Amino acid sequence: MSDEPPNVDLAYIGRALDRLTTEVASMRDDMTVLTAITMRLDGSHTALLTELRAMHAQQSRLAKRVRDLEAAKP
């Protein structure tokens, strides 16, 4: 017993190949979109890390200036 219809001809095989081709193309498009999303998130994660480091350095400099001003107070 097989799952093939009783009349398998070239037209049936052609339609099956067309469906498979369409499904593969759809999956390829989905993969392209998901890859682009991942790359965007990876890039924004890197940028966010750089921004956080810069903000930390900025706040550290500000805290040092405040400590220096408090230490210089008579």
Side-chain angles (χ1 to χ4, degrees), residues 29-44:
D29 291 342
D30 291 345
M31 184 61 75
T32 302
V33 169
L34 292 173
T35 301
I37 290 170
T38 302
M39 296 299 289
R40 180 178 51 84
L41 290 174
D42 183 51
S44 63

Side-chain angles (χ1 to χ4, degrees), residues 3 10 14 17-19 22-23 25 27-28 32-33 35-36 38 46 49-51 55-56 59 68-69 71:
D3 293 336
L10 288 178
L17 285 175
D18 284 341
R19 282 193 308 271
T22 301
E23 288 178 17
M27 288 172 52
R28 184 176 292 136
T32 302
V33 169
T35 301
T38 302
T46 302
L49 188 59
T50 303
E51 184 178 343
M55 289 173 61
H56 176 73
Q59 290 178 351
D68 291 346
L69 285 173

